[in-house]
Amino acid sequence: MKPATLAPMFTIAGDEAGERTVAVHVTGESLIRSPLVNKGTAFTAAERVELGLVGLLPPRVESLEEQKARAYAAFLREPTPLGRHQLLRRVQDTNEVLFYALLQEHVREMLPVVYTPTVGEGVERFSDVYEVPRGLSISIEDPESPKDVVASYPVEDVRMIVATDSSAILGIGDQGYNGLAISIGKLALYTLGGVSPLRTVPVVLDVGTDRAAILDDPSYLGVRRKRLRGEAHLELVRQFVLAVRERWPRAVVQWEDFGKETAFDVLDAFRDVVPSFNDDIQGTGAVALAGLLAATRAQGRSLSAERFLVYGAGAGGAGVARAIRDGLEREGLSREEASSRVFVVDSKGLLVEGRPMETYKQELAQPVSAVAGWTVAGKVPSLMETIANGKVTALLGLSGQPASFDEPVIRAVTANTAAPVVFALSNPTSVCEAVPADVLRWTDGRAIVATGSPFAPVELAGKTYAIGQGNNAFVFPGLGFGAILTEARKVTDGMVAEAAYALADFTVERYGREGLVYPPVEDIRDASVRVAARVARRAVADGVAGRADLPDDLEAHVRRLAWTPRYLPFRRA
């Protein structure tokens, strides 16, 4: 028997003049305990009378601007990043509009707190600091099926889901139930990009954890058993996917932080069942490709003239290598020519055909003939040997190995090119492959540097170097928004590639003269609008759009539809 769903808490309607009003179905304390509809001290005197709020709030009526000022002052009083992270979560769990208005106004200061790098600590401490339920948990120990759990969730028209099994969170690995924090953080970035929080759901698929410290922690809130693997794991994901397709047929799913053992299997198994993509594989690949395009254009070079080394062959590294290869093909190279310019090195050395490796790595391996004339000490070329023999000009780190791009490595790349590209993309900051100041010093300021986590500008020899942040937030909100706008039946590889080129074009147009490879984080909304418009066009071209009635000025259309944090007038339903 299908469980009963909760009645909607509110409906939003527009009049003939285009003014929107919120009609609420709950009043009094139930209303102010609901973050999606709570305005707190901003409820007007008339609304307080009509909605049964008189006496439940302070007498003074505040504006959103006044609320933001008070919340920001509280943010500044918190002495630690984790304390600030918790405060912002508390604001979000109390008043969604205020949270997003605050985040939008202080995005440079708050994005590293809401997302990387502080979200890493937020994940690790999620059970310790747990206060208010948020999102959806699908557990292997649930007394009901995933179908029943999804059917009972009290939101009817969900359009965007971020789902994780928490097996490979950032650079901190298996985190079990605590990984729900990463889904919450990602969706905050979707809303910065324009997706309404009223239509989003963060999800954790709690299949256990292999981390003994978590299992032994008395405060841990997740399933206390070893991680489910293999077909049993895939079956739980399948039940979740089918439940989503039935309950929310227009929802897009972003797979987040699945381990390399399952990330490719889950993506391949379900991308034709529900419109979905894997941010670690495809989002990371797209943002890396966008940065490389901007970097080479800034130097007057073509992408096809470079030779690339991707250090790290997990889901992110493999996704970046695939994206570069596909970008080279788009630039006119054959598949064979493109593959010959992309070297992937894991902990055992260069991926070469015939070497033992996981199935997903095989398509990225170099043929034996390609390295036959190389000078190497062992059977498999090392990182340094690949740089020297492969004439590498662009180095991309996705290894999670801190300081692995040391001075000899950087100098080896510099020997092959006047302006080496060095992207140390591992997150959080503690696992970054290199510190930008070191890379610039070792190359006398010639390197084009980007990182995955935020770094301050570097001063060297009287010149200031801005450090671009290769943040997936420049890609995935627009990719998801474009798929939502067109009600895409599938997120195609072409849509992902279009997101990369849209971001590169945006960066070059706006910051090309400054030589930036990524825009400042304050531009997340504008970048997302550009990406969403281009992705939507590509969805139509690829024949997967459920809605193809797009206006000519699509960017303006996207901007009009993008959700903006503001208070609407309320009335009793």
Side-chain angles (χ1 to χ4, degrees):
M1 182 176 70
K2 181 178 178 179
T5 57
L6 298 179
M9 196 170 295
F10 62 94
T11 54
I12 300 176
D15 59 21
E16 294 181 358
E19 293 297 321
R20 294 189 300 164
T21 302
V22 180
V24 292
H25 299 260
V26 293
T27 58
E29 188 163 343
S30 296
L31 179 60
I32 59 177
R33 298 294 181 198
S34 230
L36 286 173
V37 288
N38 180 32
K39 293 199 281 188
T41 55
F43 280 108
T44 66
E47 288 171 336
R48 296 181 187 205
V49 171
E50 183 174 3
L51 302 175
L53 300 176
V54 175
L56 299 181
L57 296 166
R60 179 183 169 190
V61 175
E62 288 188 304
S63 67
L64 179 56
E65 291 300 316
E66 290 170 320
Q67 288 180 321
K68 280 193 297 183
R70 186 155 40 82
Y72 184 58
F75 175 84
L76 294 178
R77 285 195 299 270
E78 288 292 338
T80 67
L82 182 62
R84 291 182 170 191
H85 177 86
Q86 289 177 256
L87 183 137
L88 290 178
R89 281 293 320 283
R90 203 170 293 120
V91 173
Q92 185 180 17
D93 289 334
T94 305
N95 183 330
E96 296 263 10
V97 169
L98 174 57
F99 169 75
Y100 285 110
L102 189 64
L103 184 58
Q104 192 173 73
E105 184 168 307
H106 302 282
V107 63
R108 173 166 290 277
E109 191 174 4
M110 293 183 175
L111 190 61
V113 175
V114 171
Y115 192 49
T116 182
T118 308
V119 73
E121 188 178 3
V123 169
E124 292 178 307
R125 299 287 305 279
F126 188 72
S127 288
D128 298 339
V129 300
Y130 180 88
E131 293 181 356
V132 178
R134 175 173 285 270
L136 184 62
S137 168
I138 303 290
S139 162
I140 54 176
E141 294 187 353
D142 283 339
E144 295 182 329
S145 70
K147 179 179 178 180
D148 291 337
V149 175
V150 169
S152 298
Y153 195 76
V155 177
E156 285 301 317
D157 187 17
V158 170
R159 299 299 183 92
M160 191 70 228
I161 295 168
V162 174
T164 183
D165 76 345
S166 311
S167 52
I169 301 289
L170 299 172
I172 58 177
D174 183 355
Q175 296 294 318
Y177 173 79
N178 293 341
L180 180 57
I182 204 75
S183 296
I184 294 169
K186 285 279 187 175
L187 283 172
L189 273 59
Y190 268 103
T191 297
L192 274 183
V195 177
S196 170
L198 309 179
R199 301 285 180 258
T200 66
V201 179
V203 175
V204 62
L205 303 172
D206 187 356
V207 296
T209 175
D210 290 336
R211 192 175 288 266
I214 293 177
L215 293 173
D216 294 339
D217 183 352
S219 69
Y220 180 57
L221 295 171
V223 171
R224 293 178 184 272
R225 56 151 287 174
K226 291 291 186 180
R227 178 171 287 276
L228 197 67
R229 297 187 181 278
E231 183 54 41
H233 175 280
L234 199 63
E235 177 57 29
L236 183 75
V237 180
R238 181 179 294 110
Q239 291 181 41
F240 166 69
V241 166
L242 295 178
V244 167
R245 188 175 66 175
E246 180 176 328
R247 175 84 194 280
W248 301 310
R250 293 187 288 182
V252 178
V253 178
Q254 174 181 310
W255 302 114
E256 181 67 27
D257 286 340
F258 280 67
K260 62 184 181 181
E261 302 86 359
T262 56
F264 293 92
D265 291 341
V266 167
L267 177 62
D268 293 341
F270 303 116
R271 65 184 307 183
D272 291 322
V273 182
V274 291
S276 54
F277 65 97
N278 182 295
D279 183 51
D280 305 289
I281 299 171
Q282 295 161 289
T284 304
V287 80
L289 176 58
L292 291 171
L293 288 166
T296 52
R297 291 176 188 176
Q299 296 292 317
R301 292 145 52 179
S302 69
L303 191 73
S304 59
E306 307 300 317
R307 298 177 70 82
F308 306 89
L309 189 151
V310 178
Y311 184 55
V320 168
R322 286 180 172 186
I324 297 171
R325 182 192 64 196
D326 294 347
L328 290 170
E329 288 187 67
R330 181 162 169 162
E331 300 284 313
L333 272 60
S334 68
R335 168 58 64 93
E336 183 179 0
E337 290 170 330
S339 298
S340 72
R341 291 181 171 275
V342 183
F343 305 98
V344 182
V345 175
D346 66 8
S347 59
K348 298 179 178 65
L350 179 66
L351 300 188
V352 181
E353 288 179 357
R355 202 205 86 178
M357 68 186 77
E358 294 92 329
T359 302
Y360 76 88
K361 295 180 182 179
Q362 292 173 0
E363 66 167 295
L364 303 172
Q366 292 290 325
V368 174
S369 59
V371 301
W374 286 17
T375 301
V376 297
K379 292 183 179 180
V380 178
S382 66
L383 171 63
M384 287 288 285
E385 290 168 341
T386 303
I387 292 171
N389 290 280
K391 305 298 182 186
V392 169
T393 60
L395 187 62
L396 299 99
L398 295 108
S399 65
Q401 299 301 309
S404 50
F405 290 174
D406 58 15
E407 185 172 357
V409 167
I410 299 302
R411 291 198 180 279
V413 179
T414 308
N416 298 325
T417 178
V421 176
V422 180
F423 286 5
L425 298 176
S426 288
N427 282 316
T429 311
S430 59
V431 298
C432 189
E433 286 81 6
V435 175
D438 290 339
V439 175
L440 288 164
R441 188 175 70 255
W442 296 330
T443 61
D444 298 321
R446 290 186 287 147
I448 303 170
V449 183
T451 55
S453 290
F455 278 86
V458 174
E459 300 286 339
L460 182 66
K463 184 176 179 180
T464 301
Y465 298 83
I467 307 302
Q469 186 184 355
N471 194 325
N472 290 19
F474 288 124
V475 165
F476 66 76
L479 177 58
F481 199 3
I484 292 168
L485 290 174
T486 56
E487 298 181 10
R489 294 181 292 273
K490 178 179 180 178
V491 178
T492 65
D493 290 339
M495 292 162 67
V496 178
E498 198 65 38
Y501 276 82
L503 175 59
D505 291 344
F506 175 86
T507 306
V508 171
E509 288 171 18
R510 189 167 288 194
Y511 300 103
R513 291 184 179 179
E514 301 172 43
L516 298 188
V517 294
Y518 292 108
V521 294
E522 291 89 341
D523 281 350
I524 280 181
R525 172 61 67 100
D526 288 346
S528 295
V529 168
R530 171 70 64 88
V531 170
R534 291 269 292 270
V535 166
R537 291 279 187 212
R538 186 58 188 257
V540 174
D542 286 351
V544 297
R547 296 187 58 180
D549 52 336
L550 304 178
D552 293 334
D553 191 350
L554 190 50
E555 280 194 40
H557 177 67
V558 173
R559 200 174 296 279
R560 282 195 301 272
L561 293 178
W563 186 84
T564 299
R566 65 186 180 94
Y567 290 136
L568 299 176
F570 277 40
R571 63 177 176 82
R572 188 192 292 260

